Amino acid sequence: QVQLVESGGGLVQPGGSLRLSCAASGSIRVINDMAWYRQAPGNERELVAYITSGGSTRYADSVKGRFTISRDNAKNTVYLQMNSLKPEDTASYLCTADALSRTTNAWRKIWGPGTLVTVSS
């Protein structure tokens, strides 16, 4: 079984920065694309940033120029560097990974439980 665990969330003032991490563990054969989503209370879940196994990225328009997604394939970890944070960035941030399990030899989209980011003065 493959699991994802996010870390790095917390309370930050407007204009501040946070770096989120998401590590995959378990019976992993291959991890392909990884991504960060967010969901604020009362809102639908939205894609924030996406990175392929080769390092290609794309971002939601609302975070372009402020957020940077990266990954360390050797550590099965994806990061989200968030700068110039705004109150509207407040949400639970969840990471996903398309993972091939070593035990089942099947691809699955895995979700982490999320980490809360609050931007407030």
Side-chain angles (χ1 to χ4, degrees):
Q1 187 175 358
V2 180
Q3 296 176 325
L4 297 174
V5 178
E6 302 96 339
S7 60
L11 174 64
V12 63
Q13 292 187 341
S17 298
L18 280 176
R19 188 190 193 213
L20 306 183
S21 299
C22 174
S25 63
S27 180
I28 301 167
R29 187 182 298 277
V30 177
I31 291 183
N32 199 357
D33 301 341
M34 304 183 82
W36 287 95
Y37 286 75
R38 67 185 180 187
Q39 187 165 21
N43 290 0
E44 292 188 356
R45 188 172 294 180
E46 64 170 339
L47 177 65
V48 175
Y50 179 92
I51 186 166
T52 69
S53 57
S56 297
T57 60
R58 77 167 185 260
Y59 297 91
D61 288 342
S62 59
V63 307
K64 279 180 183 176
R66 300 188 298 123
F67 290 10
T68 302
I69 189 170
S70 61
R71 63 190 289 170
D72 184 334
N73 290 332
K75 295 181 179 179
N76 289 326
T77 299
V78 63
Y79 306 96
L80 186 67
Q81 178 66 43
M82 305 186 294
N83 299 329
S84 303
L85 282 160
K86 305 175 181 179
E88 51 263 43
D89 294 317
T90 295
S92 179
Y93 284 71
L94 307 96
C95 70
T96 71
D98 294 330
L100 179 64
S101 168
R102 206 184 312 120
T103 54
T104 65
N105 207 34
W107 284 95
R108 282 185 58 202
K109 190 176 192 70
I110 309 297
W111 289 84
T115 185
L116 182 62
V117 172
T118 303
V119 185
S120 174
S121 55

